[in-house]
Amino acid sequence: MSKKKAIKIATASAIALTGAVAVAQPQADAATNSVDKAITKATTQVNKAFNLYYNTTKKSNKLPSGSAIRKEVKLAEQYYTAAQKEIAKNGGSKKAAYTKKLEASKTSLNRAKNYVAAISVTLKASRTDLDKAIASGKQGTVASKHAALEKKIAEFEKAVTKVFGPDARRLLTKTYTTPAKAEAAAVATEVKVYAAYKEIESKKLISTDLEKAGKLIESVKADVEKLKAKNTTLAKNLVKAAEKNNKAYEAALPAVVTAVSATNASTLTLTGTSLKNLKAEDITLAGNTVESVTAAADGKTATVVLKTLVTPNVEQTVKVKDKEFKFTYKLTATGAAITEATYDDNKANQFVAFTVNGAVANVSDLLANGYTVNFSATDKDGNVDKSTELFANRTTGELRTAGLAEEYKVQVTLTNGTNVIVSPLQTIKVKNLDLAASAINSYEFLNTTGGSSVVQNSTKLVVGETGKFQNLKVVIDGTEEKGLVPTKVESSNKAVASVSGGVVTAHTPGTTTLTLTYGNTTKAVTFTVVNEKRELNSVKVTKQNSDTQIYNTTAILGNGPTLTVSPLDQYGDPVDAAVLKIESSDAAIASAPATVTSSANGKVDVTVTASKTGSTTLLFKDNANNKTLSTFGVTVTENNGVATKKLEIVEPKDSDAVKKSADNTLDLSDDKFVEYKLNQYTSEGVKNGSVNFAGYTVTSSDTDVATAATAGDVLTITAVKKGTATISLKDNAGVNVGTITVTVVDNKATITGVTFKPQSKLDYAKTVDYKTFLSYSEAAAGLDPVISGITLSKSTNNSVRLDADGTNKLYIDTNGNSNYDAGDTDLGEIELTATTDSTNLTPAGASVAVASGAKGTLIFKIKEVGKTKIYASTSLEVNVK
């Protein structure tokens, strides 16, 4: 093949590779000098760079290596520039021709450079920044990084449009633009929501342009709902921000009422939008007062309670802000029914509940609509009329407060002209609801004969003895309450034993059933009265502060235990003032005091002296006749040190100055203290004293809940307020020797409801005080009145009284002395105030002398003692001319 033919074939091949735009290689025989060589070198490199991206994308359907294409394009630019310089230096008269020849490759060079310019617009950093921002959940950062990525994508897309070759542009878009756009689109909803609420907040649109704020909120409403389904920090933060702005927006919206109707004689129903923003002062009705406005959750309806009943069958005009609405109240009864219920046996202001047309009825509504109302009652069998016995007012259905049976059949009759509605007979029950007890679990019987205070183990009484029941454990509202006394005790055989004032007196030998009553529950106990007087018969020995009988003990040499000894009679009951003689079979080993005498409760503590190792027996004898009553074994071992230490609760004692808990649940209203000792035990498990806490430190995890302190060998934990706290005890080396978790509760009774006396307008002079608003029973001179109508969180058999002449506190008369003192339980305090628009009404304490010229509203409150919380309140309108 000739050299000329070979050059033609090479040229044709290059053209085929690059398409129609490929640049032909210069003739080899033309490259005879430095200018030709420079042009050839530049042209060859330009074609190489161009073909690298163009042919790779077209033929291989992939993008070339970024570093490779940049290298080739850089060389092409360098060679092209070098060729230009060579032409300028050595082109001579052929400069124009040389320049034209070189510029034939410029288009390809520019195309290669455009490709490199496009891939140099990198999206990676912007995508990474957006990823980090999304992970952080910071809304503003996401918005700014999203905008930066969108800007970068636009820059990249613009650069791609300048790239020659559809395949190159397609692959660049697919590789870089598409995934970047997808990433930006993934948070487009978030960015849109953020932009809307950012504008609302930054421009303070809720206060400056509420309409625009509403449009922005509406524009992203659907988007916010989408975000609620996303489980990302960013989405959650945006939803929270949206809810915050929406709430502020709704609060700023003016209420719009579109319709008004009367639900009953004292209640109106308003329909419209944003009614949650409607206030009582926005509504006026001539001759009436709006007491309250309560809107539905969606703000589309609202209930308006009026102070005065509206006149039935008369068109009324109510004004809501600047708009008037007409309504007419009508009530036509088509049916009535008494509500099955249980009422208290001595509570004032109780009314039989009933329904009219299936809704809770109001007697005042019925009377206002021209109906007469008449309640009637029979006995539980429906035979004997008991209307007068049951009802204090047969029109209102008010019940009497005394002399009631346990069950009645009741009905109500409504009459309006020829329209007569008679309800079916319904059974109602009457009980002492103040004592909602369901079971008496246990009791103590205290023998009080001769000033004794012995709690009996048996149900035996000797003729002439007396006693009473105490410390009942009663299940009340599902909780076992302790320390209660029966409200009533009855004997089935009064000749054997009678009951007066709760005291049982034994009269003659025989058997009787003593029935204890507490609230609604009873417990029957069979007692036997005998002739045989009590005699000392045996001795029961227990560990100190324990009721479990033991028959022997192990003592440490020089450290004898203290035992509780109970002399018992032939009936198994403790004997007070019994004198015991104590002897030891080997006093050299262990001994006890020669004689001891039981106290009024029939017990005596005896300390054993352990003098020598070995075993001996203690003999408990009747001092009067030297009769052995019981024996008790004592083994004395050497003190072999301390093998273990145990942090143990100190059992509470009746003699404790303050009530202590037997467990780690402390009650602020009962046993608010618990004591611990760090007891030591030998390897044989024998108790070997307790550790003195000198140098020890004790801390509480929450001193607001419980505090702890040590004194001698006793650790005392004191409850402060409800909650849980962990007490840590460390020895003098800083080593933790015990951790105690205590739970503090407060099971005191609190006020959950108050039944006030119904009020009407006061138009005459009088003194207004607690008697005006509360149902009460006067006490003897100097004593506090009993208040009824107070509902408590837990039952009590003590009276609720009012310290009317002192602190104005309502309290449970815990100690039963009818006077408020430290032994009683605070419930609340009463307060009487006048509204600011009142004239000549200035309450002093909890009363006010209403005289001529007084006008306004008095508000009677029952509050938490010393605090602002109001348990219940009522009002009285005053207008004395």
Side-chain angles (χ1 to χ4, degrees), residues 769-786:
D769 57 15
Y770 73 91
K771 298 177 183 178
T772 308
F773 303 99
L774 298 175
S775 299
Y776 65 95
S777 299
E778 289 285 12
L783 303 180
D784 292 333
V786 175

Side-chain angles (χ1 to χ4, degrees), residues 32 54 142 161 179 200 244 276 302 315 326 397 402 416 465 562 582 605 624 675 701 715 780 810 812 825 831:
T32 58
Y54 186 82
V142 171
T161 61
I200 292 171
K244 174 187 171 184
K276 287 190 286 187
E315 187 177 66
K326 304 288 186 182
N416 189 347
E465 287 188 332
T562 298
I582 307 175
D605 287 339
E675 290 182 343
S701 64
L715 163 62
L810 284 164
I812 298 174
T825 303
E831 180 182 85

Side-chain angles (χ1 to χ4, degrees), residues 251-263:
L253 284 173
V256 177
V257 176
T258 56
V260 177
S261 62
T263 307

Side-chain angles (χ1 to χ4, degrees), residues 445-450 456 459-469 489-514 527-530 534:
F445 186 78
L446 185 69
N447 192 307
T448 58
T449 307
Q456 292 192 185
T459 54
K460 295 281 181 68
L461 280 173
V462 177
V463 172
E465 287 188 332
T466 59
K468 62 181 180 181
F469 291 92
V489 181
E490 295 177 297
S491 173
S492 64
N493 191 338
K494 296 178 182 178
V496 173
S498 62
V499 182
S500 177
V503 176
V504 179
T505 302
H507 297 297
T508 61
T511 300
T512 184
T513 298
L514 299 177
F527 264 69
T528 302
V529 177
V530 297
R534 299 181 184 275

Side-chain angles (χ1 to χ4, degrees), residues 159 185 197 238 245 293 333 338 477 516 555 588 666 741 797 800 831 835 880:
Y197 285 102
L238 283 164
N245 279 278
V293 179
I338 299 293
D477 296 332
L516 317 182
L666 308 182
T741 299
N797 62 321
V800 174
E831 180 182 85
T835 56
V880 182

